[in-house]
């Protein structure tokens, strides 16, 4: 009977002992000679807290832990919620020596390491985490937890891990001895050092970009430089905070660990959406060039500012996962609209060179982000890839650099254009001042000469009477010549033609045919400028005259909507750069041919031919021929008297006579009605002979 009682007591004692420490959940090691590393997934039991219901240490210690290997992962994983996890580990030292191993589970937001005492209570040995770590330097040692078990004893440890973000870093519990832990540390160190070097190089380049932008702003104050500087500053802070999550990195922000959350997702919204649209609006001057697109950019900027405020509010309420979800929706929702904006800008890049810099920079970052996102879908899955949108990959970093370089190049080019425009204006002012000085000098000389003439007139009245008469004749002659030249200038370009040109430009703009409007306006301004220039010169080269006539006829052809054809033929033996013709002599006849030659109802298309030939004796012949209604019929159709002639042609004829008198040139003008020569033909031939001096 005694034996039976003793056996029952022994069975009860053994049962209670093994019930407390089951063999299958206890890691048994000889810590006197520990293995290099032990994968603890088979020995660790876990307990997950419900969302918004955290567990205290006493509650967790009293709950039942279960074995769930699916909790562990070697890469980042999107859990879809906050993760509050308790891990329990039993370690038995079968050796004869006390020793210490190191437990490493990864980098997490909050980590608390507890050890059980002999009375069953738990003591907090250490605490660390990305949101608790303010030490700054020795991060690796803070994330490796010591496992000390006396010889022949068993100890129980608890590890409390809290991750506020949906994207959880790698969670893989491994137990290392001292040597293997040092090797593992060195391997990780080389990896993180490479990533840190890339970020530091990027920060250096961004600082250079910021300095260049500040220098350009000093030279040319503009809002676009301020927006670009804010964009670069946001990127510098964003990537500087990335060093905060790397071991062995001394960051200036380690005293403010919450900045990693406050300037993670909001930084992307601030830099790549808010500052991006504000910079594009100011850089491209959308308010004047593309008002509708400017309204769209303003709405996007206001919406982005509101989203950033919402993200800050969520972070302040410790809803760290919500900004990531918001950014994912914003990113996916703006892919197609951004592509439409790029297409719209590409269609306008020909008329606005600054659009190319903005478009190329935007495309580089757009394609880099899209490529980085697509590359992460296969290894991580769609949900986890969306969570990694804020993680700057190498492809995204390259896109950021290219975008910043294109934007900075565009700002420099804009600065150059403004500098050239300012220099051009200054040069024009200097030229005008020089002209004023020259005019003042001439006036002074004329006054001095007038005083001398008046003095000589008093002394030699009889002799000066004849000279005064001759001077009076010269003055009247010059005055008459000046009046004729002014009339010729006014007659060169008919006001009706100018009105039609402006109407054509307005029509092209209303039809949004900006290319034709720009070309028409450019040619029209060139024609006006050359008209004013040639009116001050007596002779110009034949090359300038042909270019001038070609520009004038091109405008007329565009105005007549291609119902007019013209051809300027030059004898190949003529050296157009050396031959000279009187300025503004041919244009009135060409204008008259267009006016009456393009209105022939019997001809569907008006044709105008200008032919230059070199005759014997250094004589240049110019023949202007059209298929219009002819001189006689045009006189019949007009209500003016028959002896009336076009004012431009009359002034040109008088000017030719004056040139013949002044330079003894012998310019001859002959006007022929083709119907007189052959009644089946219609039109006019103007034959002008210009001898070369």
């Amino acid at each position: 009977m005694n034996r039976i009682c003793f056996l029952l007591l022994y069975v009860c004692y053994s049962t209670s002992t093994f019930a407390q420490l089951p063999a299958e959940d206890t890691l048994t090691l000889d810590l006197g000679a520990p293995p290099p590393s032990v994968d603890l997934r088979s020995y660790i039991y876990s307990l997950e807290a419900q969302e918004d219901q955290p567990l205290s240490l006493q509650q967790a210690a009293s709950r039942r832990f279960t074995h769930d290997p699916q909790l562990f992962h070697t890469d980042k994983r999107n859990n879809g919620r906050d993760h509050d996890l308790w891990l329990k580990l039993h370690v038995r030292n079968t050796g004869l020596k006390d020793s210490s191993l190191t437990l490493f589970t990864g980098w997490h937001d909050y980590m608390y390491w507890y050890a059980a005492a002999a009375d069953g209570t738990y003591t907090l040995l250490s605490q660390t985490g990305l949101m608790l770590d303010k030490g700054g330097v020795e991060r690796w040692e803070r994330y490796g937890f010591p496992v000390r078990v006396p010889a022949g004893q068993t100890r129980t440890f608890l590890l409390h891990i809290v991750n506020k973000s949906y994207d959880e870093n790698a969670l893989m519990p491994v137990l290392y001895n001292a040597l293997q832990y040092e090797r593992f540390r060195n391997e990780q160190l080389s990896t993180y050092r490479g990533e840190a070097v890339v970020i530091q190089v990027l920060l250096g380049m961004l600082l250079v970009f910021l300095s260049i932008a500040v220098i350009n702003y000093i030279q040319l104050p503009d809002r676009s430089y301020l927006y670009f500087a804010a964009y670069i500053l946001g990127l510098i802070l964003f990537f500087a905070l990335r060093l905060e999550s790397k071991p062995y990195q001394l960051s200036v922000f380690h005293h403010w660990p919450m900045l990693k959350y406050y300037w993670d997702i909001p930084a992307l919204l601030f830099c790549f959406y808010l500052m991006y649209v504000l910079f594009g609006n100011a850089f491209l001057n959308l308010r004047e060039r593309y008002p509708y697109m400017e309204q769209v950019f303003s709405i996007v900027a206001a919406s982005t500012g509101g989203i950033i405020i919402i993200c800050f509010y969520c972070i302040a309420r410790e809803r760290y996962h919500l900004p990531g979800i918001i950014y994912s929706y914003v990113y996916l929702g703006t892919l197609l609209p951004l592509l439409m904006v790029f297409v719209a800008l590409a269609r306008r890049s020909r008329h606005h060179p600054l659009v190319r810099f903005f478009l190329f920079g935007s495309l580089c970052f757009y394609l880099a982000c899209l490529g980085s996102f697509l590359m992460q879908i296969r290894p991580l899955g769609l949900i986890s890839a969306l969570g990694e949108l804020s993680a700057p990959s190498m492809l995204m970093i390259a896109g950021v650099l290219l975008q910043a370089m294109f934007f900075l190049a565009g700002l420099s080019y804009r600065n150059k254009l403004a500098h050239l425009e300012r220099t051009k204006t200054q040069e024009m002012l200097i030229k005008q001042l020089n002209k004023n000085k020259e005019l003042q000098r001439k006036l002074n000389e004329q006054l001095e000469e007038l005083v001398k003439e008046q003095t000589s007139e008093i002394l030699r009245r009889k002799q000066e009477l004849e000279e005064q008469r001759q001077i009076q004749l010269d003055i009247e002659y010059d005055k008459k010549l000046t009046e004729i030249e002014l009339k010729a200038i006014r007659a060169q370009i008919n006001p009706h033609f100018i009105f039609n040109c402006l109407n054509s430009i307005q029509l092209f703009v209303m039809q949004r045919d900006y290319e034709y409007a720009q070309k028409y306006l450019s040619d029209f301004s060139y024609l006006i400028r050359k008209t004013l220039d040639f009116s001050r010169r007596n002779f110009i080269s034949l090359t300038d005259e042909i270019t001038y006539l070609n520009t004038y006829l091109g405008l007329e052809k565009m105005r007549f909507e291609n119902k007019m054809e013209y051809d300027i033929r030059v004898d190949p033996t003529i050296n157009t750069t050396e031959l000279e013709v009187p300025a503004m002599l041919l244009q009135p006849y060409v204008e008259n041919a267009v006016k009456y030659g393009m209105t022939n109802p019997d001809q569907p298309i008006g044709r105008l031919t200008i032919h230059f030939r070199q005759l014997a004796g250094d004589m240049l012949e110019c023949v202007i021929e059209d298929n219009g209604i002819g001189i006689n019929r045009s006189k019949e159709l007009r209500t003016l008297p028959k002896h009336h002639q076009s004012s431009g042609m009359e002034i040109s004829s008088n000017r030719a006579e004056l040139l013949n008198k002044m330079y003894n040139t012998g310019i001859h003008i002959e006007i022929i009605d083709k119907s007189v020569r052959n009644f089946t033909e219609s039109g006019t031939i103007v034959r002008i002979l210009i001898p070369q001096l």
Side-chain angles (χ1 to χ4, degrees):
M1 189 66 181
N2 292 332
R3 290 182 179 179
I4 294 174
C5 292
F6 179 79
L7 181 61
L8 290 174
L9 290 174
Y10 177 76
V11 170
C12 292
Y13 173 76
S14 301
T15 303
S16 61
T17 303
F18 285 104
Q20 292 178 3
L21 293 174
E24 61 271 11
D25 70 347
T26 301
L27 175 63
T28 304
L29 294 174
D30 182 2
L31 297 186
S37 63
V38 179
D39 187 349
L40 299 180
R41 284 180 291 179
S42 301
Y43 302 97
I44 282 187
Y45 280 67
S46 61
L47 174 64
E48 292 187 88
Q50 298 298 323
E51 191 172 4
D52 297 331
Q53 295 180 1
L55 297 175
S56 64
L57 176 62
Q58 291 76 16
Q59 291 173 338
S62 63
R63 297 288 180 90
R64 180 183 177 184
F65 284 70
T66 60
H67 184 66
D68 186 8
Q70 301 298 326
L71 290 174
F72 307 112
H73 47 91
T74 57
D75 296 315
K76 277 191 173 183
R77 187 169 72 181
N78 187 282
N79 293 320
R81 62 181 181 87
D82 298 349
H83 201 194
D84 191 335
L85 177 68
W86 289 83
L87 301 178
K88 179 181 287 188
L89 174 65
H90 302 292
V91 180
R92 179 175 178 80
N93 183 5
T94 60
L96 301 177
K97 296 181 180 180
D98 296 345
S99 182
S100 177
L101 302 181
T102 302
L103 173 65
F104 183 81
T105 58
W107 309 87
H108 304 285
D109 291 348
Y110 301 92
M111 303 178 72
Y112 306 91
W113 179 242
Y114 301 92
D119 57 356
T121 61
Y122 285 90
T123 303
L124 179 64
L125 300 180
S126 64
Q127 60 180 357
T128 185
L130 295 175
M131 303 309 298
L132 290 176
D133 183 9
K134 299 181 181 181
V137 180
E138 298 179 355
R139 293 183 176 176
W140 188 271
E141 286 74 8
R142 295 173 62 87
Y143 284 82
F145 302 107
V147 179
R148 296 184 180 91
V149 181
Q153 295 186 17
T154 302
R155 295 194 70 180
T156 302
F157 300 92
L158 286 180
L159 178 60
H160 186 197
I161 299 176
V162 180
N163 283 307
K164 293 293 186 179
S165 176
Y166 277 14
D167 292 324
E168 185 177 64
N169 288 328
L171 178 60
M172 186 58 58
V174 181
L175 196 63
Y176 295 99
N177 64 11
L179 179 60
Q180 188 63 25
Y181 180 69
E182 187 66 24
R183 291 177 180 174
F184 174 71
R185 170 181 173 174
N186 292 334
E187 292 175 358
Q188 294 295 311
L189 173 62
S190 62
T191 301
Y192 284 117
R193 274 181 176 172
E195 296 178 2
V197 167
V198 172
I199 293 177
Q200 289 168 354
V201 171
L202 175 63
L203 290 175
M205 297 182 69
L206 292 176
L207 286 173
V208 172
F209 294 161
L210 179 62
S211 302
I212 296 174
V214 172
I215 293 173
N216 286 340
Y217 178 75
I218 294 174
Q219 294 179 353
L220 181 65
D222 195 328
R223 286 188 305 165
S224 56
Y225 290 102
L226 294 179
Y227 294 142
F228 181 76
Y231 162 74
I232 295 297
L233 282 174
L235 288 178
I236 291 173
L237 182 58
F238 174 75
F239 286 105
L241 288 171
R242 288 289 162 177
L243 293 175
E244 195 69 18
S245 61
K246 311 297 180 185
Y248 306 106
Q249 301 304 319
L250 178 60
S251 173
V252 296
F253 304 108
H254 66 271
H255 291 294
W256 305 281
M258 283 299 295
L259 278 178
K260 290 190 289 291
Y261 281 125
Y262 274 105
W263 199 245
D264 188 7
I265 300 302
L268 302 179
L269 294 171
F270 175 81
C271 296
F272 302 128
Y273 288 92
L274 180 60
M275 287 299 107
Y276 172 77
V277 296
L278 291 178
F279 171 78
N281 195 354
F283 178 69
L284 301 178
N285 197 10
L286 296 180
R287 178 171 296 180
E288 296 182 3
R289 296 180 178 274
Y290 316 116
Y292 177 75
M293 189 174 294
E294 188 270 340
Q295 294 178 1
V296 174
F297 273 43
S298 300
I299 294 173
V300 172
S303 303
T304 305
I307 293 174
I308 292 175
I309 295 174
I310 294 174
C311 290
F312 284 144
Y313 175 77
C314 294
I315 295 170
R317 297 297 300 271
E318 296 187 356
R319 301 290 183 176
Y320 304 116
H321 59 283
L322 291 180
I325 297 175
I326 293 173
Y327 179 74
S328 300
Y329 283 114
V330 170
Y331 176 80
L332 295 178
T334 55
L335 285 177
L336 185 59
L338 277 176
L339 184 61
M340 296 173 62
V341 171
F342 295 157
V343 172
L345 290 176
R347 296 178 60 184
R348 294 166 172 81
S349 60
R350 292 177 296 177
H351 310 292
H352 194 357
L354 294 178
V355 172
R356 300 174 185 174
F357 292 97
F358 183 78
L359 183 61
F360 289 155
S362 302
L363 282 175
C364 288
F365 182 74
Y366 176 87
L367 296 177
C369 289
L370 184 60
S372 177
F373 171 64
L374 295 177
M375 288 169 56
Q376 292 175 352
I377 290 179
R378 184 173 182 181
L380 301 179
L382 179 61
I383 301 301
S384 297
L386 286 174
E388 288 296 303
L389 285 174
S390 61
S393 62
M394 292 299 296
L395 190 59
M396 180 178 173
I397 290 175
V400 168
L401 287 176
L402 289 175
Q403 185 185 57
M405 285 190 287
F406 274 113
F407 285 176
L408 186 60
L411 288 172
S412 300
Y413 183 74
R414 182 178 181 177
N415 198 0
K416 178 183 177 182
L417 292 179
H419 178 71
L420 292 176
E421 185 68 22
R422 188 166 57 248
T423 303
K424 184 178 180 181
T425 303
Q426 292 176 353
E427 290 178 352
M428 293 177 62
L429 291 175
I430 292 173
K431 289 181 180 179
Q432 187 63 37
L433 289 175
N434 293 333
K435 289 182 179 179
N436 293 339
K437 290 181 180 179
E438 183 66 20
L439 180 61
Q440 184 178 2
R441 185 185 63 81
K442 290 182 178 180
L443 290 175
N444 291 334
E445 292 178 354
Q446 291 178 1
L447 289 174
E448 292 177 359
E449 192 171 330
L450 182 60
V451 171
K452 291 180 181 179
E453 289 175 357
Q454 291 176 353
T455 304
S456 300
E457 184 180 2
I458 296 173
L459 297 175
R460 295 172 298 185
R461 180 177 297 275
K462 193 179 283 187
Q463 182 180 357
E464 289 296 326
L465 286 175
E466 184 65 23
E467 292 180 358
Q468 287 289 342
R469 189 178 65 84
Q470 188 63 35
I471 291 173
Q472 188 66 27
L473 291 175
D474 292 338
I475 292 174
E476 291 178 357
Y477 179 81
D478 291 336
K479 182 177 179 182
K480 182 178 180 181
L481 180 60
T482 302
E483 291 176 353
I484 293 175
E485 287 179 348
L486 290 176
K487 290 180 181 179
I489 292 172
R490 288 193 295 269
Q492 295 306 318
I493 298 182
N494 196 312
H496 184 64
F497 164 72
I498 297 175
F499 180 78
N500 290 335
C501 288
L502 294 177
N503 281 338
S504 299
I505 296 172
Q506 183 181 15
L507 179 62
F508 288 144
V509 172
M510 291 177 65
Q511 293 178 348
R512 294 187 178 272
D513 196 346
Y514 299 119
E515 184 174 358
Y516 268 88
Q518 182 180 6
K519 184 179 184 307
Y520 201 105
L521 184 60
S522 176
D523 293 345
F524 180 69
S525 63
Y526 170 84
L527 189 70
I528 296 297
R529 186 169 61 254
K530 286 300 180 182
T531 301
L532 297 176
D533 183 28
F534 293 165
S535 66
R536 295 190 293 266
R537 297 157 58 182
N538 288 329
F539 292 93
I540 60 174
S541 66
L542 183 57
T543 301
D544 292 339
E545 182 68 23
I546 293 173
T547 304
Y548 178 85
L549 294 177
N550 196 16
T551 304
Y552 169 76
L553 291 174
L555 289 173
E556 291 286 8
K557 182 177 180 180
M558 291 175 67
R559 188 169 64 85
F560 281 101
E561 298 182 351
N562 295 326
K563 293 182 180 180
M564 163 188 168
E565 293 182 357
Y566 70 93
D567 185 18
I568 300 178
R569 304 173 185 174
V570 183
D571 196 328
T573 60
I574 295 177
N575 190 347
T576 58
T577 58
E578 295 181 359
L579 293 182
E580 292 186 342
V581 297
M584 310 301 294
L585 181 64
L586 304 179
Q587 194 272 344
Y589 297 101
V590 175
E591 181 181 351
N592 197 69
V594 171
K595 182 176 181 181
Y596 297 106
M598 302 300 111
T599 57
N600 190 350
D602 298 330
Q603 299 292 339
I605 297 177
R607 291 183 173 84
L608 175 64
T609 303
I610 303 174
H611 196 179
F612 294 92
R613 300 186 185 90
Q614 182 74 43
L615 303 181
D618 294 334
M619 181 67 71
L620 177 64
E621 180 189 38
C622 175
V623 178
I624 304 171
E625 182 178 359
D626 64 77
N627 64 343
I629 59 177
I631 298 176
N632 296 331
R633 188 177 177 187
S634 65
K635 290 181 178 180
E636 294 174 0
L637 294 176
R638 288 184 297 177
T639 59
L640 297 173
K642 294 184 178 181
H643 64 273
H644 176 77
Q645 191 177 6
S646 173
S647 60
M649 295 175 60
E650 180 182 2
I651 294 172
S652 295
S653 178
N654 294 335
R655 190 162 176 266
E657 294 178 1
L658 291 174
L659 289 172
N660 290 336
K661 292 179 181 179
M662 293 175 63
Y663 299 99
N664 195 21
T665 55
I667 298 174
H668 178 71
I669 301 173
E670 181 181 4
I671 302 175
I672 304 171
D673 194 323
K674 293 167 66 175
S675 62
V676 176
R677 188 173 57 183
N678 187 349
F679 70 93
T680 60
E681 296 182 357
S682 63
T684 306
I685 298 176
V686 180
R687 185 169 179 264
I688 304 173
L689 298 178
I690 306 172
Q692 297 298 305
L693 299 177

